[in-house]
Amino acid sequence: MQARRTADPGLGGLYFTAWCADWPLHAPPTHVVRGHSPLQLSGHKDEDVTPYRWVQEAQKATGGALLTVQDDVHASLAQLPCVSKVLAFFRSGNTTNGTCPGDR
């Protein structure tokens, strides 16, 4: 665990699954600071692997743009037409707020 924590300090070196979400984690909290560069966030409204409230909390802490996918399918964005909105961020730095239809 310590080797993973050193190699991946952003995640604490942990392998996360929904089954261990309530386990106590004895690690110092990450101090989030708003930056000046653009940030694109995306979240699936009804999924349980990465709860939507987490992306809302991330947006509140960072100020990034939030694209909400209207489904409960973890990682469905890659197969949806609105993936172009997220790819635009990687290609040009343009961010997108709003929603897009999901895979229902």
Side-chain angles (χ1 to χ4, degrees):
M1 180 176 161
Q2 293 304 322
R4 290 192 312 271
R5 183 174 282 170
T6 300
D8 191 2
L11 297 175
L14 300 176
Y15 294 110
F16 179 79
T17 69
W19 298 279
C20 62
D22 292 331
W23 288 6
L25 176 61
H26 304 289
T30 301
H31 181 67
V32 178
V33 180
R34 286 180 183 245
H36 300 288
S37 60
L39 174 63
Q40 179 67 60
L41 303 167
S42 66
H44 299 264
K45 183 73 173 153
D46 299 312
E47 79 160 290
D48 60 356
V49 176
T50 50
Y52 185 71
R53 67 180 169 91
W54 290 357
V55 75
Q56 291 175 308
E57 291 170 5
Q59 183 187 36
K60 183 178 177 183
T62 63
L66 174 56
L67 178 65
T68 301
V69 182
Q70 298 292 334
D71 68 13
D72 62 353
V73 184
H74 184 74
S76 68
L77 185 59
Q79 287 78 37
L80 301 174
C82 65
V83 71
S84 61
K85 295 177 180 182
V86 174
L87 292 176
F89 170 71
F90 291 105
R91 293 180 177 141
S92 66
N94 294 330
T95 59
T96 301
N97 284 297
T99 63
C100 67
D103 183 24
R104 292 211 175 206

